Amino acid sequence: KEIVDHFGGMQPKHGNFVPMARFSFLQDLLTNVTQAAVITSYHTGEGQHAWDLVCAHANDLSCFIFDRGYFDGALPFLMAALHTHFVVRVPVKAFAKAQQFVESGKKECEIQLPAPGWIKEELKQCGVTFKDDSLTVRLVRVELNTGEVEVLMTNLLDADLYPAEEFDQVYHLRWSIEESYKSCK
């Protein structure tokens, strides 16, 4: 009862109610050392976890790598406002510019994300400011062995310094976090 009262849970289509919480790690992907963790109500989204971890731990030497569940429209602006780098897998079907990019067949491209007032207001409430009217980001195509295409968004814009071919390997580094989640569960 105490766990349900604090964290909530989930009612599956078939079966009994299951008490559940949601947690996220901030993990150094080169050493597999967890730097920070957040555990919240099951109903708190991964996007909120991303905001909490980024706001508490970002610096200009950071490069955060996120799975698609952590993507929200304001996250790239938060990272830019905090002068930190990111690579995030975007949900292609829910993001029109990613769909257009996949259909183009290109390996990579730069796009402009407009900065609407609601994003600037959300950032201001978190104590950060994004002054520009748009944000330049780079989309990178990652083709899986299955033929599925994943799209990574990043503010690592220099293609000579950060070649598109390396993003697949970099993104794959985050798999160690999934293994850590299994251990914790």
Side-chain angles (χ1 to χ4, degrees):
K1 181 182 181 332
E2 292 84 7
I3 292 171
V4 171
D5 288 346
H6 190 79
F7 291 109
M10 176 185 82
Q11 178 65 55
K13 281 186 176 182
H14 306 288
N16 297 326
F17 179 84
V18 179
M20 295 184 85
R22 186 176 312 273
F23 62 96
S24 296
F25 295 149
L26 177 60
Q27 187 166 328
D28 182 319
L29 298 181
L30 299 177
T31 64
N32 291 327
V33 173
T34 299
Q35 305 292 317
V38 177
I39 185 168
T40 62
S41 160
Y42 176 69
H43 303 290
T44 301
E46 292 171 322
Q48 184 62 53
H49 285 188
W51 277 71
D52 294 345
L53 290 167
V54 166
C55 287
H57 301 283
N59 63 59
D60 59 356
L61 299 177
S62 301
C63 183
F64 290 84
I65 302 175
F66 294 106
D67 196 16
R68 68 180 172 199
Y70 292 88
F71 178 77
D72 75 19
L75 184 61
F77 295 94
L78 173 66
M79 304 296 273
L82 293 172
H83 307 287
T84 194
H85 297 290
F86 67 89
V87 176
V88 60
R89 181 175 161 202
V90 297
V92 174
K93 292 180 181 176
F95 186 57
K97 290 187 180 198
Q99 284 181 338
Q100 293 164 358
F101 169 66
V102 169
E103 291 167 4
S104 76
K106 293 179 182 176
K107 179 174 65 170
E108 62 182 299
C109 74
E110 286 186 11
I111 63 170
Q112 294 293 312
L113 298 177
W118 71 267
I119 286 179
K120 291 182 177 185
E121 188 57 40
E122 200 169 314
L123 293 172
K124 194 181 294 182
Q125 290 175 10
C126 293
V128 294
T129 303
F130 186 83
K131 295 178 183 176
D132 298 325
D133 292 328
S134 66
L135 173 65
T136 303
V137 294
R138 181 175 167 203
L139 300 180
V140 177
R141 172 188 296 268
V142 174
E143 294 193 27
L144 305 179
N145 295 337
T146 63
E148 182 183 353
V149 175
E150 293 181 342
V151 176
L152 303 179
M153 177 188 291
T154 184
N155 60 351
L156 298 169
L157 301 178
D158 187 332
D160 292 329
L161 195 55
Y162 308 106
E165 300 79 34
E166 294 184 9
F167 278 86
D168 181 23
Q169 184 178 4
V170 168
Y171 182 71
H172 186 73
L173 288 173
R174 60 156 295 287
W175 189 250
S176 64
I177 294 172
E178 300 299 335
E179 295 301 317
S180 295
Y181 287 147
K182 279 196 251 182
S183 297
C184 285
K185 288 178 184 179

